[in-house]
Short mmCIF file of all heavy atoms in Angstrom, two decimals:
data_model
loop_
_atom_site.label_atom_id
_atom_site.label_comp_id
_atom_site.label_asym_id
_atom_site.label_seq_id
_atom_site.Cartn_x
_atom_site.Cartn_y
_atom_site.Cartn_z
N MET A 455 118.39 93.93 92.15
CA MET A 455 117.86 95.27 92.47
C MET A 455 118.79 96.37 91.93
O MET A 455 118.34 97.31 91.28
CB MET A 455 117.71 95.44 93.98
CG MET A 455 116.79 94.43 94.65
SD MET A 455 115.14 94.29 93.93
CE MET A 455 114.38 95.82 94.48
N ASP A 456 120.10 96.23 92.17
CA ASP A 456 121.03 97.31 91.84
C ASP A 456 121.26 97.46 90.34
O ASP A 456 121.42 98.58 89.83
CB ASP A 456 122.41 97.06 92.51
CG ASP A 456 122.30 97.11 94.02
OD1 ASP A 456 121.26 97.57 94.54
OD2 ASP A 456 123.28 96.69 94.69
N PHE A 457 121.26 96.33 89.61
CA PHE A 457 121.54 96.39 88.16
C PHE A 457 120.26 96.55 87.34
O PHE A 457 120.32 96.71 86.14
CB PHE A 457 122.29 95.14 87.70
CG PHE A 457 123.69 94.98 88.26
CD1 PHE A 457 124.41 93.83 88.00
CD2 PHE A 457 124.29 95.99 89.00
CE1 PHE A 457 125.71 93.68 88.50
CE2 PHE A 457 125.58 95.85 89.51
CZ PHE A 457 126.29 94.69 89.26
N GLY A 458 119.12 96.44 87.99
CA GLY A 458 117.85 96.61 87.26
C GLY A 458 117.57 95.48 86.29
O GLY A 458 117.18 95.70 85.13
N ALA A 459 117.76 94.23 86.77
CA ALA A 459 117.52 93.07 85.90
C ALA A 459 116.06 93.04 85.42
O ALA A 459 115.15 93.27 86.22
CB ALA A 459 117.86 91.78 86.63
N ARG A 460 115.85 92.77 84.15
CA ARG A 460 114.48 92.58 83.63
C ARG A 460 114.18 91.11 83.42
O ARG A 460 113.04 90.70 83.42
CB ARG A 460 114.34 93.37 82.31
CG ARG A 460 112.90 93.37 81.79
CD ARG A 460 112.71 94.29 80.60
NE ARG A 460 111.37 94.09 80.07
CZ ARG A 460 111.05 93.15 79.19
NH1 ARG A 460 111.99 92.34 78.73
NH2 ARG A 460 109.82 93.00 78.76
N VAL A 461 115.23 90.31 83.19
CA VAL A 461 115.05 88.89 82.91
C VAL A 461 115.85 88.06 83.92
O VAL A 461 117.00 88.36 84.20
CB VAL A 461 115.53 88.54 81.48
CG1 VAL A 461 115.34 87.06 81.17
CG2 VAL A 461 114.84 89.42 80.45
N LEU A 462 115.18 87.03 84.48
CA LEU A 462 115.84 86.13 85.44
C LEU A 462 115.87 84.74 84.83
O LEU A 462 114.85 84.21 84.42
CB LEU A 462 115.05 86.10 86.76
CG LEU A 462 115.47 85.04 87.79
CD1 LEU A 462 116.90 85.28 88.29
CD2 LEU A 462 114.50 85.04 88.98
N CYS A 463 117.06 84.12 84.77
CA CYS A 463 117.21 82.76 84.28
C CYS A 463 117.69 81.88 85.43
O CYS A 463 118.73 82.20 86.02
CB CYS A 463 118.21 82.67 83.13
SG CYS A 463 117.84 83.77 81.76
N ALA A 464 116.96 80.80 85.74
CA ALA A 464 117.33 79.94 86.87
C ALA A 464 116.53 78.66 86.79
O ALA A 464 115.59 78.55 86.00
CB ALA A 464 117.05 80.65 88.20
N THR A 465 116.89 77.68 87.64
CA THR A 465 115.97 76.56 87.80
C THR A 465 114.78 77.09 88.60
O THR A 465 114.93 78.01 89.40
CB THR A 465 116.63 75.39 88.59
OG1 THR A 465 117.05 75.88 89.86
CG2 THR A 465 117.82 74.83 87.82
N PRO A 466 113.58 76.49 88.43
CA PRO A 466 112.42 76.98 89.18
C PRO A 466 112.64 76.91 90.70
O PRO A 466 112.24 77.82 91.43
CB PRO A 466 111.29 76.04 88.76
CG PRO A 466 111.78 75.23 87.63
CD PRO A 466 113.25 75.43 87.48
N SER A 467 113.29 75.86 91.18
CA SER A 467 113.48 75.74 92.62
C SER A 467 114.43 76.83 93.12
O SER A 467 114.23 77.37 94.21
CB SER A 467 114.00 74.35 93.00
OG SER A 467 115.16 74.04 92.29
N TYR A 468 115.42 77.18 92.30
CA TYR A 468 116.33 78.23 92.76
C TYR A 468 115.66 79.61 92.68
O TYR A 468 115.92 80.49 93.52
CB TYR A 468 117.66 78.24 91.96
CG TYR A 468 118.68 79.13 92.62
CD1 TYR A 468 119.00 78.97 93.97
CD2 TYR A 468 119.30 80.16 91.93
CE1 TYR A 468 119.91 79.79 94.60
CE2 TYR A 468 120.22 80.98 92.56
CZ TYR A 468 120.52 80.79 93.90
OH TYR A 468 121.41 81.62 94.54
N ALA A 469 114.76 79.81 91.72
CA ALA A 469 114.01 81.06 91.65
C ALA A 469 113.21 81.26 92.94
O ALA A 469 113.17 82.36 93.51
CB ALA A 469 113.07 81.05 90.44
N LEU A 470 112.62 80.17 93.44
CA LEU A 470 111.87 80.28 94.69
C LEU A 470 112.80 80.55 95.88
O LEU A 470 112.45 81.31 96.79
CB LEU A 470 111.09 78.99 94.96
CG LEU A 470 109.68 78.94 94.39
CD1 LEU A 470 108.99 77.65 94.85
CD2 LEU A 470 108.84 80.14 94.84
N ALA A 471 113.99 79.95 95.84
CA ALA A 471 114.95 80.21 96.92
C ALA A 471 115.34 81.70 96.93
O ALA A 471 115.46 82.32 97.98
CB ALA A 471 116.18 79.33 96.75
N ILE A 472 115.52 82.27 95.72
CA ILE A 472 115.85 83.71 95.62
C ILE A 472 114.68 84.54 96.20
O ILE A 472 114.91 85.49 96.97
CB ILE A 472 116.13 84.11 94.15
CG1 ILE A 472 117.43 83.44 93.67
CG2 ILE A 472 116.21 85.63 93.99
CD1 ILE A 472 117.73 83.65 92.18
N ALA A 473 113.46 84.15 95.86
CA ALA A 473 112.29 84.88 96.36
C ALA A 473 112.24 84.85 97.89
O ALA A 473 111.94 85.85 98.55
CB ALA A 473 111.01 84.28 95.77
N GLU A 474 112.56 83.68 98.44
CA GLU A 474 112.48 83.52 99.88
C GLU A 474 113.56 84.35 100.58
O GLU A 474 113.30 85.00 101.60
CB GLU A 474 112.69 82.04 100.18
CG GLU A 474 112.55 81.69 101.62
CD GLU A 474 112.85 80.21 101.83
OE1 GLU A 474 113.95 79.77 101.45
OE2 GLU A 474 111.97 79.53 102.31
N VAL A 475 114.79 84.32 100.05
CA VAL A 475 115.87 85.09 100.66
C VAL A 475 115.56 86.59 100.55
O VAL A 475 115.79 87.36 101.50
CB VAL A 475 117.22 84.74 99.99
CG1 VAL A 475 118.31 85.73 100.36
CG2 VAL A 475 117.63 83.32 100.37
N ALA A 476 114.99 87.00 99.41
CA ALA A 476 114.64 88.42 99.25
C ALA A 476 113.65 88.85 100.34
O ALA A 476 113.80 89.91 100.96
CB ALA A 476 114.02 88.65 97.88
N GLN A 477 112.66 87.97 100.57
CA GLN A 477 111.65 88.27 101.59
C GLN A 477 112.30 88.43 102.96
O GLN A 477 112.01 89.37 103.70
CB GLN A 477 110.63 87.14 101.62
CG GLN A 477 109.33 87.53 102.27
CD GLN A 477 108.28 86.42 102.16
OE1 GLN A 477 108.55 85.36 101.58
NE2 GLN A 477 107.11 86.66 102.69
N ALA A 478 113.23 87.51 103.28
CA ALA A 478 113.92 87.57 104.57
C ALA A 478 114.76 88.85 104.68
O ALA A 478 114.97 89.37 105.78
CB ALA A 478 114.79 86.34 104.74
N MET A 479 115.26 89.34 103.54
CA MET A 479 116.06 90.57 103.54
C MET A 479 115.18 91.82 103.56
O MET A 479 115.69 92.93 103.58
CB MET A 479 116.93 90.62 102.27
CG MET A 479 118.05 89.59 102.20
SD MET A 479 118.72 89.45 100.49
CE MET A 479 119.58 91.03 100.32
N GLY A 480 113.86 91.62 103.49
CA GLY A 480 112.96 92.77 103.44
C GLY A 480 112.87 93.40 102.07
O GLY A 480 112.49 94.55 101.92
#
Side-chain angles (χ1 to χ4, degrees):
M455 301 307 287
D456 295 348
F457 293 174
R460 186 172 173 275
V461 180
L462 171 64
C463 305
T465 58
S467 55
Y468 192 53
L470 270 185
I472 292 174
E474 184 183 57
V475 167
Q477 198 174 1
M479 291 165 71

